[in-house]
Amino acid sequence: MSEAALERQIRPIYDALDHGSNKSAINACNKVLKKYTNNTLVKALKALALTRSQKVEEALVLCDEILATVVTDDSTLSVMTHVLKGLARNSDMVAMFDNAFKQQPQSEDLGAQTFFAHVRTGNWKSCQQVATRMHKQFQEDRYVYWAVTGAILQANDLGTPPNIRTLLYKLAHRHVTSCPTPSYMAVDRFHLHLLILQELQLWDEANTLLESDIGKSICSASLVCNETRRDIWRKRGLYKDEGERAQEKIKNKDRNWLEFVSVVDAAFASVQGPDVSEEAKSECSENIARTRGFLNEIAELDGSNNRSASLALLELEKNAFSHGISSDESALVDSMENYFSQFGDKACCFEDLRPCVDLGADAKSRWISFLASQEPSFATTGDLQRVINVRKLQRISLTASELSTDKELQLVSIYIEEYMAGLELGSNLPVTELQPADDLAILVGHAFVSLWTMTKDESYLYNAAVVLEFALTRSRMSFQIRLLLVRIYRLLGASSLALDHYRAINIKQVQNDTLSHFLLTRALTFSLSATGDLTYPSECIESSQIYVSNSQDTPDFIIRAFTSEKYSQIPEFVSFDDKLENSLQRDVVKLEHVRMRMTHEPINSDLIDMELIELKFVFDRFHHDNRDFGMLPNYQPACQSSLNDQTLMFGNSTGQGWLWYFIKIYIRAFQHASDLDDIVEEKLLIGDRPKKSPEPEVQLPLRERLAIRKPEEAAELTADELQLMEWATAVSDWLEPYHDHTRPPPAVVLAEANKQNELRTGLPLRGVDLKALNGDAHANGHSKKDEEAPPVKEPPQLVAQFFEHMHARFVQLQQSQCLPSDLLHVATLTQEAFLLFTVESLRFKTASVVKIYKLGALVQSLKDIRLKACAVLKTMSNDLLKMGEVAGSAERRKCFVESCKPITDSPKLHHDFVLNIAKNVGESRKKVLEGVGKGMVKICANYGQ
Amino acid sequence: MSVLRPFKANDLFRFNNINLDVWTETYGITFYLTYLQRWSDLCFTQESPRGRLQGYILGKAEGAQAEWHGHITAVSVAPEYRRLSLARNMCQRLEFASDEIYKGYFVDLYVRCNNALAINMYEGMGYSVYRRVREYYGNLGVGKDGRDEEDAFDMRKCLSRDVAQRSIRSNGRDMIVSAHDVM
């Protein structure tokens, strides 16, 4: 057949792939391959269709065949790029292009593709080498800058030691200076050049560049270059020059705050450093006076149009005092008062003044009386904003001795009264607008949360919920109010209400990474997945979608930034990609999902093997904490912790320490239950391994890492979680010898995997030579080992008594004043322990194993513990069901309404409104208490025998 | 009063106070990365002196010949930082960059015809209506403000290169085009 005829046959394959009909694509490929058995393009297309229809094993066989030859034709390379991307085999992609480029070093396109393949794997060293080679071959300036960027990214890698870093920057510098066209031909090249000079502290060269006409013109138009220029000036200590330049700019109407910072910094240039002479001090004092004059002029000129100069005056006076130049704070308080008078009607006034309020006794009392002298007025929104600012500033200045329940209750009634008065101003606003009085309702929330932390009386949280719910009826779009309600409802164990509010905020895309902690932190506590309600597990999966789109899309943009020479964006994109890929929250949610998954899916080797591999990947990561805790406002007094900290369920969030502790529990339990050892895992793995963290601890053998316990990490666990951890460790230590002794050898496991694979796909596992691995593998699995079986030991006391202990804790909590969330915490942890125990004892369920290794006594101990655990779970479940009944009762609703006395004086917060909230809270609590209770019974039924 | 600096990819981790606002859409990451990769010099953010993001603007350069211009795609300010002329400052910077760097003839933006507040603000900043685009904000159905809710004004402001001021006209409100003419 001619080439044209072949092409005619290939076209329909592409069409089928484009239309997503993978099956007909495979058929079409098979047809062509009958005649052209060695056509790599068709093989590649078949591999693509197979990958897309999830037939990974078969696709891999084809990939191996194709990659065994050197592929150089464009179409095949392009198809293979898609195949290998789909299989997450970037290292194969790198090898493929490397070989192709070696074979055809004159092909510029292949060079670029090779470079991009290295970009995808984040191998910056190779990037730099390939780019250098490309520059030699093709003499294009841009490849010099590709090499430079590669060197800089390698230098910035976490694992690069400082001396190598300098070396790499020097290399980058050599590249830039040897380039025939000067860097200022393009802004992004110029910026890169500046960065190198900054790192190497080559100030003279930097000066020449920046002081040249073209350099000045670039910096005036490009913010990013100007930023670097400013950094360089500061690093050189040229505060005065920079200050003068900034004054000029300000005189020319530039109001960028950075210019004002430069002006203020210049005033204190002479008192930088440890030993400051009197002479320097008096020089500084003169400078301050001059700067004050300058800023006053600007402030007067701008009036209330712009607050920069006034804010800079505050900064100036604050620094003058902290540097010991001015002896008292009266000038500072003067500026604060002026500032408030002028900008008190702006919402940001509070944020602006906040850093200044930490005053000495005299200054403070003057400031407090100034605030007290402000007459509240509700004539305009500006007046209302003043009232709000006064209340906030007063609140953060409260001292521990002033704070009492009476004081807080008194504040509550002031805030509510003023809130209601303020509402009048926004009565005509459309529903989509925020009420200008919202912050007063949020202040009520603050006061009630503070009352709750002082007294531990949960009825204060009811009050908070009612007022905030009311505020939402007036300001439906207030995300701050909703987020605070999410926190309060979680504390109260009204989890479905928390979920509703969270969903109403409409969190999307990348926000899932930064904000899902509000909902998913320790979500197991409220998960009803054991009863088949998969709400929380699906929330986990949905919120994790962003990580998939990141790894699919962001690398493409890094590559595009190279082709369009946007070098200033590349390190940012790389770091963005890294922060999402290795996000702490991603893996906290992952683990939370595993914990929930165990409650509703059958615990078998499929689940265990898969999660073991994934958790081990997680354990090798260097995490970034992107969680945003700044979305809850904080107006609590300085002597209290922040509103965010106060409303965290169980008093803390789940950070790196929590993740490490829990992941150690799970990896160890899964390792015991799994037959996968490292050899088997390596054979069964399909994609590349993720990049390993360069931390020294991560380089230790897994066994050692699993044993590490650090107090700072333990601090992120609740007392009950620590108990679970200790127990899990003791169980693992106790059972490990029996697992290790009875686990079938790798050859047997692989033989089994091979068999399964053949059944599924008709093909043997690739790359597995069973004979070479182990000739004596018995087909039926277990073979008696030569070494003595470890003697069966009694369970350690900690292991045997854990469940009784948890029960005692549960009873004790019930009798004390505690929140439903606390009770659910203990109950769900006990349930988790039971499931972990199931994992740990799975291997000894098989009768043949017990018989061959004579583990009868061990099995008996396990059974005893299991029975005890079951009994405890059933009792807890019973209690939870009873509590659920009570929580939803009319009696409880009445109590709720009665405890809202502090706020029901206000006519708008009438009885029916409060009763409605009481009903919602009661029903929501009932639902979760009953659901968790029922789930526990179900789990007992599944694994109790 | 605030730091005006380039908008960066990592700002996506910090823009919640701006984007949780109901009128500000949070797009997929490719949207932001496209703007940053192509028009990073038309994307800025304002940061408060205390380090909080206050607002951002995303823009692009497009069009051919006399239509070559800067376009304001999104401009948003967090509720707590409104009434501080932040949007105005960011627009000015974008106009400056469209003029200096891209040498465009004008800058334009789209706004709902019923958003009187915003239209007033843009007029105060020197923008004028160039044309009315029918059903630009489609599939809302005709709401309480009738056509005004789904139609957009294309508002423009001349840059220094448009000496003859050909990119604006006084009767813009009467010039009606359909959405597919401008997409």
Side-chain angles (χ1 to χ4, degrees):
Chain A
M1 218 185 296
S2 69
E3 203 160 296
L6 177 63
E7 202 158 296
R8 253 202 317 279
Q9 281 194 298
I10 290 179
R11 181 129 307 280
I13 307 178
Y14 276 104
D15 288 343
L17 282 165
D18 284 346
H19 292 101
S21 36
N22 297 316
K23 212 169 171 185
S24 58
I26 296 172
N27 287 336
C29 287
N30 286 338
K31 219 168 113 190
V32 183
L33 282 173
K34 262 186 201 154
K35 278 190 189 143
Y36 303 88
T37 35
N38 286 322
N39 187 307
T40 44
L41 174 59
V42 180
K43 277 188 194 171
L45 287 167
K46 186 177 169 189
L48 184 60
L50 287 167
T51 314
R52 290 189 176 165
S53 37
Q54 309 299 325
K55 293 184 175 158
V56 174
E57 268 299 325
E58 290 166 71
L60 285 173
V61 175
L62 275 176
C63 281
D64 286 352
E65 270 178 43
I66 298 163
L67 295 178
T69 63
V70 177
V71 185
T72 48
D73 87 283
D74 283 349
S75 327
T76 312
L77 284 169
S78 144
V79 176
M80 282 305 286
T81 310
H82 290 287
V83 177
L84 295 173
K85 227 174 116 179
L87 294 169
R89 291 176 81 94
N90 283 318
S91 49
D92 277 351
M93 190 160 11
V94 166
M96 178 176 79
F97 281 114
D98 260 341
N99 289 334
F101 187 38
K102 258 180 220 147
Q103 186 109 14
Q104 298 189 358
Q106 71 293 352
S107 160
E108 194 165 349
D109 184 50
L110 274 182
Q113 294 298 337
T114 310
F115 180 83
F116 296 149
H118 285 294
V119 170
R120 272 184 206 286
T121 51
N123 188 343
W124 309 121
K125 188 179 174 182
S126 309
C127 282
Q128 184 253 323
Q129 288 165 342
V130 173
T132 311
R133 210 158 13 128
M134 287 175 75
H135 179 241
K136 273 194 196 127
Q137 178 80 29
F138 310 112
Q139 296 295 321
E140 268 255 24
D141 287 348
R142 69 153 89 191
Y143 300 135
V144 174
Y145 285 90
W146 285 16
V148 168
T149 309
I152 290 180
L153 288 169
Q154 192 196 343
N156 294 352
D157 245 351
L158 282 168
T160 308
N163 54 334
I164 304 289
R165 182 185 162 93
T166 312
L167 222 64
L168 285 162
Y169 268 94
K170 281 188 179 154
L171 175 71
H173 184 236
R174 217 168 41 238
H175 277 312
V176 171
T177 42
S178 65
C179 185
T181 46
S183 64
Y184 55 70
M185 297 302 281
V187 174
D188 276 73
R189 292 183 181 183
F190 185 74
H191 180 246
L192 211 49
H193 193 175
L194 286 182
L195 283 182
I196 296 166
L197 298 178
Q198 182 186 13
E199 172 75 21
L200 296 174
Q201 309 200 344
L202 296 170
W203 303 137
D204 289 340
E205 198 181 332
N207 210 37
T208 319
L209 272 188
L210 289 165
E211 289 296 316
S212 67
D213 286 345
I214 190 143
K216 280 182 184 166
S217 121
I218 289 179
C219 288
S220 78
S222 157
L223 284 174
V224 62
C225 288
N226 198 33
E227 218 172 41
T228 314
R229 181 202 60 77
R230 197 189 311 267
D231 289 344
I232 291 176
W233 250 241
R234 289 175 159 267
K235 286 218 173 107
R236 293 171 65 192
L238 299 176
Y239 289 98
K240 279 190 183 168
D241 299 344
E242 181 64 12
E244 280 162 26
R245 206 196 44 80
Q247 287 207 8
E248 279 312 304
K249 286 196 116 177
I250 292 169
K251 280 182 200 156
N252 289 326
K253 297 254 176 322
D254 193 328
R255 292 293 179 267
N256 195 339
W257 174 248
L258 290 174
E259 307 301 345
F260 289 87
V261 171
S262 297
V263 169
V264 173
D265 285 348
F268 296 93
S270 64
V271 292
Q272 302 292 335
D275 296 316
V276 180
S277 65
E278 280 310 309
E279 205 177 313
K281 276 192 175 181
S282 73
E283 187 192 333
C284 176
S285 179
E286 281 167 35
N287 284 337
I288 292 174
R290 256 199 307 276
T291 309
R292 191 183 287 137
F294 170 75
L295 291 173
N296 270 323
E297 263 174 50
I298 302 291
E300 209 154 300
L301 190 77
D302 286 353
S304 54
N305 285 333
N306 194 300
R307 63 193 218 284
S308 307
S310 305
L311 199 57
L313 275 166
L314 281 178
E315 207 66 26
L316 186 77
E317 303 302 351
K318 195 160 71 92
N319 288 354
F321 182 72
S322 65
H323 278 93
I325 309 293
S326 67
S327 53
D328 68 47
E329 292 168 307
S330 58
L332 175 58
V333 179
D334 285 343
S335 314
M336 288 164 73
E337 292 182 3
N338 284 338
Y339 193 82
F340 187 89
S341 308
Q342 195 146 26
F343 302 105
D345 57 352
K346 309 266 188 209
C348 60
C349 178
F350 168 75
E351 185 192 317
D352 293 341
L353 284 172
R354 179 174 217 153
C356 306
V357 298
D358 192 16
L359 299 161
D362 290 347
K364 186 169 175 185
S365 80
R366 212 185 114 195
W367 173 239
I368 296 294
S369 24
F370 169 79
L371 290 176
S373 70
Q374 303 292 312
E375 276 300 317
S377 156
F378 300 90
T380 64
T381 47
D383 292 333
L384 172 62
Q385 193 58 59
R386 274 180 195 279
V387 175
I388 292 172
N389 283 326
V390 170
R391 294 295 171 241
K392 288 181 186 171
L393 288 165
Q394 284 175 325
R395 185 165 178 83
I396 58 167
S397 295
L398 287 173
T399 58
S401 56
E402 286 170 288
L403 271 176
S404 64
T405 46
D406 286 345
K407 173 76 185 172
E408 284 286 27
L409 285 169
Q410 194 191 334
L411 285 173
V412 161
S413 54
I414 295 174
Y415 297 154
I416 291 188
E417 194 181 317
E418 290 176 344
Y419 170 65
M420 296 297 175
L423 273 185
E424 301 296 323
L425 281 171
S427 52
N428 292 324
L429 287 176
V431 286
T432 45
E433 285 295 306
L434 297 173
Q435 285 288 338
D438 278 350
D439 279 1
L440 284 163
I442 292 175
L443 278 168
V444 180
H446 276 74
F448 277 122
V449 168
S450 153
L451 280 163
W452 170 68
T453 47
M454 283 192 264
T455 62
K456 289 291 155 213
D457 179 353
E458 72 176 63
S459 66
Y460 289 124
L461 293 178
Y462 303 160
N463 281 276
V466 170
V467 174
L468 293 168
E469 287 281 5
F470 176 79
L472 264 190
T473 64
R474 300 304 157 105
S475 198
R476 252 178 37 204
M477 301 302 172
S478 169
F479 63 86
Q480 288 189 327
I481 296 180
R482 286 199 196 272
L483 287 175
L484 184 50
L485 275 169
V486 169
R487 283 286 178 82
I488 289 173
Y489 283 140
R490 272 166 60 93
L491 287 171
L492 287 174
S495 55
S496 61
L497 298 181
L499 183 65
D500 292 345
H501 283 298
Y502 181 82
R503 284 181 174 162
I505 300 167
N506 199 11
I507 278 161
K508 288 192 214 166
Q509 303 288 348
V510 66
Q511 292 175 319
N512 280 302
D513 184 45
T514 46
L515 294 173
S516 67
H517 68 89
F518 270 96
L519 185 74
L520 297 177
T521 300
R522 295 189 173 101
L524 177 72
T525 319
F526 302 124
S527 168
L528 309 184
S529 41
T531 63
D533 175 346
L534 298 185
T535 310
Y536 277 102
S538 0
E539 285 289 335
C540 289
I541 289 171
E542 273 166 41
S543 89
S544 301
Q545 277 306 314
I546 182 65
Y547 307 112
V548 179
S549 34
N550 177 55
S551 54
Q552 277 171 355
D553 298 329
T554 309
D556 289 341
F557 281 90
I558 301 174
I559 289 168
R560 283 195 213 176
F562 270 107
T563 32
S564 60
E565 293 208 69
K566 287 290 174 116
Y567 302 113
S568 62
Q569 298 301 316
I570 293 171
E572 272 288 315
F573 285 7
V574 169
S575 124
F576 177 75
D577 179 40
D578 177 39
K579 280 185 179 172
L580 266 183
E581 178 69 18
N582 297 307
S583 156
L584 174 67
Q585 181 64 11
R586 171 190 199 163
D587 291 333
V588 167
V589 171
K590 159 82 197 162
L591 194 61
E592 206 60 37
H593 185 254
V594 174
R595 295 170 83 195
M596 291 179 202
R597 204 181 158 191
M598 305 240 302
T599 67
H600 72 92
E601 274 182 49
I603 297 178
N604 55 27
S605 62
D606 282 349
L607 182 149
I608 289 169
D609 291 349
M610 189 185 136
E611 297 296 0
L612 173 62
I613 293 181
E614 290 195 7
L615 291 182
K616 275 163 73 179
F617 283 169
V618 171
F619 202 38
D620 278 349
R621 281 194 167 130
F622 182 90
H623 285 105
H624 299 278
D625 188 356
N626 310 324
R627 294 173 300 165
D628 187 349
F629 286 109
M631 281 307 99
L632 278 188
N634 180 33
Y635 314 123
Q636 293 299 36
C639 59
Q640 278 189 1
S641 30
S642 68
L643 184 71
N644 176 65
D645 293 352
Q646 286 174 332
T647 52
L648 286 172
M649 194 164 72
F650 316 135
N652 63 19
S653 191
T654 48
Q656 184 77 70
W658 183 90
L659 178 64
W660 270 181
Y661 259 69
F662 268 82
I663 215 167
K664 285 172 193 169
I665 299 183
Y666 276 90
I667 289 184
R668 201 138 176 240
F670 287 160
Q671 259 188 337
H672 287 166
S674 171
D675 289 343
L676 294 186
D677 71 349
D678 290 347
I679 306 171
V680 184
E681 189 188 304
E682 200 55 52
K683 293 284 176 209
L684 297 181
L685 203 63
I686 290 160
D688 293 341
R689 282 176 184 279
K691 223 173 177 176
K692 208 170 170 175
S693 156
E695 293 279 285
E697 195 182 302
V698 180
Q699 316 314 318
L700 295 174
L702 182 62
R703 213 186 153 75
E704 276 174 49
R705 287 187 68 203
L706 289 172
I708 295 174
R709 302 284 183 271
K710 290 183 188 165
E712 68 271 22
E713 289 179 356
E716 288 182 21
L717 272 64
T718 66
D720 300 309
E721 285 171 342
L722 271 177
Q723 291 283 332
L724 175 77
M725 181 74 200
E726 276 172 29
W727 170 82
T729 312
V731 172
S732 293
D733 290 346
W734 172 46
L735 294 177
E736 192 156 74
Y738 314 114
H739 284 293
D740 289 348
H741 186 70
T742 52
R743 182 174 296 113
V748 175
V749 181
L750 282 175
E752 178 61 23
N754 201 35
K755 208 167 94 191
Q756 293 300 328
N757 204 59
E758 271 188 349
L759 281 177
R760 224 174 34 233
T761 63
L763 293 166
L765 267 182
R766 23 187 304 287
V768 178
D769 185 356
L770 288 169
K771 277 192 196 127
L773 243 178
N774 192 345
D776 60 7
H778 292 256
N780 63 354
H782 295 283
S783 61
K784 232 173 178 175
K785 288 190 181 165
D786 298 338
E787 68 220 68
E788 253 330 275
V792 172
K793 279 194 217 155
E794 286 286 302
Q797 211 177 15
L798 179 64
V799 173
Q801 291 174 353
F802 175 78
F803 289 96
E804 280 112 327
H805 169 84
M806 289 306 266
H807 185 229
R809 171 97 177 110
F810 187 75
V811 172
Q812 173 217 341
L813 276 177
Q814 266 180 294
Q815 287 158 355
S816 68
Q817 209 182 25
C818 86
L819 292 167
S821 47
D822 293 326
L823 268 180
L824 287 169
H825 184 50
V826 173
T828 48
L829 285 177
T830 315
Q831 170 186 298
E832 187 174 11
F834 179 71
L835 289 170
L836 281 167
F837 192 74
T838 306
V839 172
E840 283 274 7
S841 50
L842 197 62
R843 186 183 300 284
F844 312 112
K845 284 249 159 190
T846 319
S848 61
V849 173
V850 180
K851 203 173 158 203
I852 296 172
Y853 298 103
K854 303 197 178 70
L855 294 173
L858 183 73
V859 170
Q860 191 53 46
S861 307
L862 294 174
K863 197 173 168 192
D864 291 346
I865 296 172
R866 195 178 301 127
L867 284 177
K868 267 192 229 166
C870 248
V872 168
L873 284 182
K874 281 179 184 156
T875 328
M876 283 185 180
S877 156
N878 233 341
D879 291 351
L880 289 174
L881 290 174
K882 271 187 224 153
M883 273 182 268
E885 201 60 41
V886 177
S889 67
E891 199 83 352
R892 260 304 157 87
R893 287 203 283 278
K894 219 174 124 196
C895 289
F896 187 110
V897 175
E898 271 167 18
S899 64
C900 288
K901 274 249 156 57
I903 52 174
T904 37
D905 290 344
S906 178
K908 283 182 180 146
L909 294 167
H910 50 78
H911 178 268
D912 286 359
F913 183 80
V914 180
L915 184 66
N916 199 30
I917 308 289
K919 201 172 128 225
N920 293 343
V921 171
E923 275 169 8
S924 177
R925 283 173 151 186
K926 182 178 173 191
K927 189 177 161 203
V928 68
L929 289 165
E930 282 187 355
V932 171
K934 283 179 188 159
M936 289 169 96
V937 176
K938 214 161 175 188
I939 285 171
C940 282
N942 287 343
Y943 304 109
Q945 294 311 306
Chain B
M1 73 182 73
S2 27
V3 175
L4 180 70
R5 61 162 180 78
F7 186 77
K8 297 173 182 170
N10 282 304
D11 289 332
L12 299 182
F13 294 118
R14 304 174 52 216
F15 69 1
N16 288 324
N17 59 330
I18 305 164
N19 274 43
L20 286 177
D21 180 59
V22 58
W23 292 118
T24 307
E25 178 66 26
T26 301
Y27 299 98
I29 46 181
T30 55
F31 173 85
Y32 302 99
L33 296 183
T34 304
Y35 273 83
L36 288 172
Q37 177 252 317
R38 296 186 62 180
W39 306 286
S40 58
D41 39 13
L42 293 177
C43 301
F44 318 109
T45 180
Q46 302 244 30
E47 204 173 55
S48 83
R50 314 295 174 215
R52 240 170 121 80
L53 290 196
Q54 301 178 307
Y56 60 81
I57 190 167
L58 305 176
K60 61 180 170 182
E62 58 184 5
Q65 283 135 30
E67 285 282 303
W68 175 242
H69 69 285
H71 173 74
I72 299 176
T73 305
V75 53
S76 182
V77 174
E80 57 201 301
Y81 299 111
R82 300 218 171 122
R83 291 156 206 254
L84 297 171
S85 316
L86 296 184
R88 177 186 295 261
N89 290 344
M90 292 191 289
C91 289
Q92 275 169 359
R93 181 75 208 188
L94 191 136
E95 289 156 18
F96 172 79
S98 303
D99 207 340
E100 284 281 311
I101 303 173
Y102 288 92
K103 315 282 181 210
Y105 285 91
F106 60 91
V107 171
D108 78 341
L109 56 89
Y110 288 90
V111 58
R112 264 183 221 281
C113 293
N114 65 343
N115 194 347
L117 214 74
I119 295 168
N120 269 338
M121 178 181 87
Y122 292 127
E123 280 177 346
M125 288 159 52
Y127 288 79
S128 62
V129 175
Y130 180 75
R131 57 188 170 181
R132 181 182 177 120
V133 185
R134 194 172 279 156
E135 289 167 17
Y136 181 78
Y137 298 100
N139 59 37
L140 260 180
V142 180
K144 81 174 172 13
D145 286 340
R147 292 250 169 268
D148 285 356
E149 201 164 302
E150 54 187 21
D151 290 3
F153 281 139
D154 175 3
M155 298 184 77
R156 293 186 176 183
K157 180 177 178 177
C158 297
L159 297 177
S160 62
R161 191 171 173 188
D162 183 14
V163 186
Q165 305 222 323
R166 288 207 178 87
S167 35
I168 53 170
R169 54 195 170 198
S170 54
N171 58 344
R173 285 178 191 247
D174 306 326
M175 310 300 281
I176 299 175
V177 295
S178 68
H180 66 252
D181 293 333
V182 301
M183 294 286 187

